[in-house]
Amino acid sequence: MIDLDAAAIYRQEAGELLDSLEGSLLDLGQTPADRTLVDQAFRALHTIKGSGAMFGFDQVAAFTHDFETAFDLVRRGTVPVTQDLVSLALAAKDHIRSLIETPDEADATVGRTILANLQILVARPGSIAEPPVEAAIAPDAGSSETAGAGWRMTIAFAPEVLRNGTDPLALLDELRGLGPCTVVALTDSVPDLGALEPQDLHLQWSVTLRGDCPREAIDDVFMFVLDDMKLDLTPLGVEPSGETVAAAAPELVIAESTPLPVASTPATPPEPQKARTADKVEPPRRADDKVSTSVRVQAERLDELMDRVGELVIAQARLSQLAHTRNDGGIQAIAEEIERLASGLRDTTMGIRMVPIGSLFARFRRLIHDLSRDLGKPVEFVTSGEDTELDKTMIERLADPLVHLIRNAIDHGIENPERRAKAGKPPVGRIELLAQHVGAQVMVTVRDDGGGLDTTRIRAKAEEQGLIVPGTTLSDAEVHQFLFHPGFSTAQTVSALSGRGVGMDVVKRTIEALRGSIDVSTELGHGSAMSLRLPLTLAIIEGLLIRVGDSRYIVPLSMIEECVELPADQARGRNFLNIRGGLVPFLRLRDLFDAPGEPDAHQKIIITSVGDARVGLVADQIIGSHQTVIKSLSKLQSDATMFSGATILGDGSAALILDVAQLVAIGQLKAETETMTRAA
Amino acid sequence: MPTILTVDDSPSVRHVVKTVLSGAGYTVIEAGDGAEGLAKAKSTPVNMIITDLNMPVMNGLELIKNLRKVPSIVGIPIVFLTTESSDGTKQEAKAAGATGWITKPFKPEQLLAVVSKLVRK
């Protein structure tokens, strides 16, 4: 009855629980006294274990059970939370994950080692050896008394059973199933009408059950109410007398009672119960506790939906174009309506794909925890802007670059505690991971309070590698760009963490492939910050449609500052424009793209900007804004660096999307050479 | 056919309960935490409620207490799922008004046994 589908659901759920467990454990490392976190971790373990056994993940259930048993001592406050315990618990968590994801490869000795270490830590030998799961609905083991002839019994339920959902008649029916019964209702305790509480049960029953029936079978019938009822049970043939009954089955003769204040059952020590109730009073404050109603959808379906919406937007653009050429108000109204709907659908679809970046941030906490321990550099990890949303694909592709930047920040940025002490800094380093919206972009910053970038050393290294001629005038920002040059490293010692194959050049390339950019800011001795600027989405952008010669191009709207007319006296000659006192170089797209024919009489300049750099692009005509569905270029066109993609216009023809970052770089370079040739 | 409400923060447990019970002909509705469970029990007539104890927002104990204050739920069987088979928890839950319990992990037949014990088809 339990299918593969359920196992998949379990895997996914367990994965999320393990993530949350990791979060709780890491938080616990910071605030060991936080009982809420211990409970959170415990709850996650509980569910992993319980469901694991149900879905046939027996190894998972067994290991988690042992782990949970030891961890229970922590929950009860018997064992304090220490860094060792947190590290061990994290290792156990990893082991559980491997048991779930790759059960065939999981190493049982790893599990045993973890448990052995855990046992030493909690110093309670024997506590781990309990059986993993109790048999469900197990009849109380103990007497296996049978009565060959049958039983005579008096049944008195607690008065509130009716309210609490027990149907005495159903239980009597069940009893009848065990053998031929004679049931007599006892009405002695039914009070007068005035005193009768309508929702209470006042009847009792006397039952004679004949046949060979073990007592467990009768206990089973009353299993849920056995503790709260009065059940006098005598084997047939034995005369009922209070004393014999009490001697034969003392645990069954329990005085009619509600919650048992029975001193003879020290089931659970009272302290943990109290501790837990006290915790519950504390208001939930962690984001994990937030509830949201959500639907799980496979990622591919979202991609498919986005594709479809893309096609729809293109088709809608064709419709609008066609409608404009017809002088038919009806068609035009419909076209406008569809345009509005398509744009709404586009926004909703993009919204569905947006995921808070917090899920990504959470992954790095473990990385930092491990790195900080391995390198002996205590580090505090601060995040903000976890709610900032980015396209799902973007978040996935951001993971590797961010890992690299964070690793660099700890490895090269944060100094060891002695050097920090000398510099008068707190011994614990600080890594910040921030996300925020900046216009139509998202900025993700990795900031450390370490030694900062040594601009002089980077420059010396660049000269040594022949990247610049010694003596060249370069701004600090330009010097820092060498960090992203392939094979460039100023690290004097290479640690195990450096050189994992992903260099800063790869980081830069990845970010640029996402149509983003990296800014570096640093202060020697006080730390540095790497800021990634990223577009919100990869699939559809707002673009400005322009015409150069016969061809049309798209400029991403987010990179445009303004559009101005090219003054007639500048139609030829000097490629600089004075904009409100600032000199902005411009590129003539006609020349760049070798467009045939004569330029239009009134050319326009689109001023674009990347970071601080501004460059104008001269076009023949500005057609208007355009919802641009980005289609990537094939490998064949991979050397066309000036374009980042293509799109399909309303009339079915294609337009190339300009890669503004590249054009700005080309423009700046041209401007420099021009200035230099002029100077020469 | 009787309607059964399953309240659990674990989708996999809800999935199993639903698969097993709907396979046996019951109608199953789901809720992901105590608060949602309470709301659904108030708005939909149910014949039985199966709830987890350890849940965010409103835990199982509070849910049971609150449910028993709802007039239409008086007399409806409420069964809790528990991995802790300790008497303390059981007594607490029963004092709150629970009818019975199912110890996790459970086999489909065990779940069905408890349900058919408490709900008449």
Side-chain angles (χ1 to χ4, degrees):
Chain A
M1 231 182 254
I2 288 168
D3 45 347
L4 279 174
D5 194 22
I9 295 183
Y10 173 69
R11 271 202 198 90
Q12 187 174 13
E13 180 190 341
E16 285 166 16
L17 284 168
L18 287 170
D19 287 346
S20 111
L21 176 63
E22 181 175 286
S24 310
L25 288 172
L26 290 167
D27 282 340
L28 210 49
Q30 308 280 327
T31 49
D34 194 333
R35 308 276 319 161
T36 326
L37 291 172
V38 176
D39 280 351
Q40 247 172 35
F42 200 77
R43 195 161 70 201
L45 280 174
H46 232 50
T47 312
I48 293 169
K49 174 181 98 170
S51 308
M54 250 185 314
F55 294 104
F57 291 83
D58 295 336
Q59 281 179 299
V60 176
F63 178 81
T64 314
H65 172 79
D66 290 349
F67 181 48
E68 185 194 1
T69 310
F71 203 75
D72 194 37
L73 296 172
V74 177
R75 185 169 73 145
R76 284 159 193 256
T78 321
V79 173
V81 176
T82 59
Q83 290 306 323
D84 284 348
L85 184 77
V86 169
S87 297
L88 198 57
L90 285 169
K93 188 228 92 194
D94 289 345
H95 185 61
I96 296 173
R97 193 184 287 274
S98 67
L99 283 174
I100 293 172
E101 284 168 5
T102 52
D104 301 334
E105 293 161 32
D107 189 350
T109 48
V110 173
R112 280 198 292 275
T113 318
I114 292 172
L115 289 177
N117 287 334
L118 193 60
Q119 215 159 0
I120 294 166
L121 267 186
V122 304
R124 273 278 296 267
S127 60
I128 282 170
E130 286 167 31
V133 285
E134 302 107 75
I137 324 185
D140 287 348
S143 71
S144 56
E145 205 181 325
T146 54
W151 300 89
R152 175 175 298 133
M153 60 192 109
T154 317
I155 303 163
F157 294 104
E160 71 274 10
V161 285
L162 293 176
R163 262 172 290 151
N164 285 356
T166 302
D167 181 354
L169 296 181
L171 296 181
L172 290 174
D173 278 348
E174 227 181 308
L175 214 51
R176 281 198 185 95
L178 297 174
C181 283
T182 317
V183 181
V184 178
L186 308 175
T187 51
D188 304 350
S189 26
V190 179
D192 291 341
L193 196 57
L196 190 128
E197 188 59 54
Q199 289 191 340
D200 278 359
L201 176 67
H202 304 288
L203 286 177
Q204 300 182 357
W205 287 271
S206 165
V207 177
T208 312
L209 168 67
R210 289 179 198 285
D212 185 7
C213 169
R215 212 186 70 194
E216 287 89 342
I218 298 170
D219 286 356
D220 254 10
V221 170
F222 297 109
M223 57 180 294
F224 291 141
V225 283
L226 202 55
D227 292 346
D228 314 318
M229 69 185 291
K230 194 167 155 187
L231 179 66
D232 287 344
L233 206 59
T234 348
L236 279 183
V238 180
E239 273 311 297
S241 104
E243 278 160 30
T244 21
V245 168
E251 73 271 32
L252 291 182
V253 191
I254 293 169
E256 180 174 328
S257 68
T258 24
L260 283 179
V262 185
S264 61
T265 46
T268 14
E271 306 91 296
Q273 298 285 352
K274 260 185 214 158
R276 266 157 67 204
T277 359
D279 286 344
K280 276 169 207 150
V281 179
E282 198 174 302
R285 56 191 171 77
R286 240 155 263 279
D288 315 10
D289 284 349
K290 267 187 232 157
V291 255
S292 57
T293 326
S294 58
V295 181
R296 268 174 225 286
V297 180
Q298 279 177 327
E300 300 88 69
R301 287 202 189 171
L302 280 185
D303 293 343
E304 203 182 304
L305 178 63
M306 196 69 221
D307 278 353
R308 295 267 160 86
V309 171
E311 299 295 329
L312 177 69
V313 168
I314 291 170
Q316 169 266 314
R318 290 175 56 189
L319 175 66
S320 297
Q321 184 144 354
L322 202 61
H324 276 296
T325 59
R326 308 268 169 107
N327 200 7
D328 182 338
I331 297 273
Q332 280 177 8
I334 293 173
E336 274 171 27
E337 177 74 6
I338 289 181
E339 182 171 350
R340 195 176 58 76
L341 290 173
S343 121
L345 188 60
R346 178 201 67 166
D347 290 348
T348 314
T349 310
M350 290 207 299
I352 294 176
R353 294 176 54 92
M354 299 298 243
V355 179
I357 202 167
S359 57
L360 184 61
F361 284 8
R363 281 196 232 168
F364 300 129
R365 305 184 53 214
R366 178 68 183 276
L367 174 77
I368 288 179
H369 176 268
D370 290 354
L371 282 177
S372 123
R373 204 190 41 194
D374 294 349
L375 293 168
K377 296 175 180 175
V379 168
E380 176 195 12
F381 181 47
V382 182
T383 57
S384 76
E386 286 95 336
D387 293 343
T388 313
E389 292 188 324
L390 266 178
D391 190 279
K392 181 185 70 65
T393 323
M394 186 90 77
I395 288 199
E396 281 158 17
R397 292 210 229 155
L398 261 182
D400 284 345
L402 281 177
V403 164
H404 191 79
L405 292 179
I406 289 172
R407 195 179 276 151
N408 265 355
I410 300 192
D411 200 10
H412 306 309
I414 304 281
E415 315 91 325
N416 55 36
E418 298 88 67
R419 280 189 56 186
R420 290 184 68 88
K422 264 187 214 159
K425 292 185 188 179
V428 177
R430 185 184 167 92
I431 303 261
E432 280 176 87
L433 189 53
L434 323 161
Q436 63 185 113
H437 281 286
V438 179
Q441 291 179 312
V442 166
M443 192 157 90
V444 182
T445 307
V446 179
R447 181 180 296 142
D448 64 71
D449 71 341
L453 293 172
D454 189 339
T455 310
T456 333
R457 213 167 83 205
I458 297 170
R459 194 190 163 98
K461 185 84 180 178
E463 286 175 2
E464 187 190 311
Q465 292 196 351
L467 297 173
I468 39 167
V469 181
T472 317
T473 326
L474 285 179
S475 70
D476 282 0
E478 283 166 323
V479 174
H480 295 151
Q481 286 302 313
F482 287 116
L483 290 176
F484 302 108
H485 205 270
F488 192 90
S489 168
T490 61
Q492 279 149 341
T493 49
V494 175
S495 73
L497 299 164
S498 319
R500 284 212 191 186
V502 187
M504 288 293 267
D505 57 319
V506 180
V507 171
K508 186 171 185 190
R509 241 182 297 144
T510 314
I511 299 303
E512 280 175 354
L514 296 172
R515 291 187 290 113
S517 62
I518 306 186
D519 296 334
V520 181
S521 69
T522 183
E523 196 180 337
L524 193 59
H526 294 281
S528 44
M530 302 276 174
S531 301
L532 314 179
R533 279 170 186 276
L534 299 153
L536 286 172
T537 176
L538 295 171
I540 298 186
I541 55 166
E542 282 291 337
L544 188 70
L545 187 61
I546 60 170
R547 184 177 61 80
V548 179
D550 299 333
S551 308
R552 280 168 295 177
Y553 301 90
I554 297 280
V555 188
L557 210 56
S558 61
M559 305 187 122
I560 297 176
E561 285 199 346
E562 61 185 311
C563 298
V564 293
E565 193 149 319
L566 179 67
D569 58 340
Q570 286 197 334
R572 293 261 172 261
R574 223 158 75 88
N575 290 332
F576 284 98
L577 188 71
N578 190 337
I579 292 187
R580 289 185 290 277
L583 218 50
V584 177
F586 59 80
L587 291 171
R588 293 172 196 272
L589 295 180
R590 287 193 71 88
D591 300 349
L592 215 54
F593 302 151
D594 289 330
E598 278 300 303
D600 278 28
H602 300 287
Q603 290 194 296
K604 310 289 186 297
I605 304 186
I606 300 118
I607 310 290
T608 59
S609 69
V610 172
D612 295 337
R614 287 197 293 175
V615 162
L617 304 173
V618 181
D620 285 330
Q621 187 192 353
I622 294 174
I623 299 170
S625 73
H626 185 261
Q627 278 192 30
T628 310
V629 181
I630 301 176
K631 302 276 173 194
S632 48
L633 296 173
S634 77
K635 285 218 165 65
L636 280 176
Q637 292 116 9
S638 60
D639 55 340
T641 52
M642 284 184 287
F643 307 108
S644 61
T647 191
I648 297 169
L649 299 176
D651 60 2
S653 66
L656 290 164
I657 301 166
L658 301 185
D659 187 336
V660 173
Q662 286 290 339
L663 288 173
V664 168
I666 295 172
Q668 293 285 342
L669 200 73
K670 263 192 137 177
E672 272 167 42
T673 39
E674 224 165 278
T675 330
M676 278 202 271
T677 31
R678 251 164 231 271
Chain B
M1 262 297 141
T3 302
I4 296 175
L5 169 66
T6 165
V7 190
D8 205 303
D9 57 331
S10 155
S12 64
V13 171
R14 293 203 305 268
H15 180 82
V16 170
V17 171
K18 183 164 187 160
T19 314
V20 170
L21 294 183
S22 44
Y26 296 96
T27 307
V28 181
I29 54 178
E30 303 177 48
D33 60 62
E36 197 190 336
L38 185 61
K40 286 215 170 143
K42 281 181 181 169
S43 62
T44 320
V46 293
N47 301 85
M48 177 174 180
I49 296 157
I50 302 177
T51 176
D52 193 18
L53 288 183
N54 256 324
M55 286 184 297
V57 189
M58 183 193 284
N59 70 30
L61 274 181
E62 289 169 55
L63 171 64
I64 297 171
K65 280 182 201 156
N66 283 316
L67 280 172
R68 283 298 179 219
K69 288 180 203 153
V70 180
S72 65
I73 303 295
V74 170
I76 299 289
I78 305 176
V79 169
F80 57 95
L81 294 175
T82 174
T83 47
E84 303 155 289
S85 50
S86 79
D87 282 355
T89 316
K90 276 185 200 162
Q91 292 302 342
E92 240 181 299
K94 281 172 70 178
T99 317
W101 61 89
I102 299 172
T103 314
K104 279 195 284 190
F106 54 84
K107 296 205 181 81
E109 49 273 26
Q110 291 170 325
L111 172 66
L112 281 173
V114 170
V115 172
S116 54
K117 184 182 178 72
L118 297 174
V119 180
R120 291 183 188 211
K121 278 201 183 178

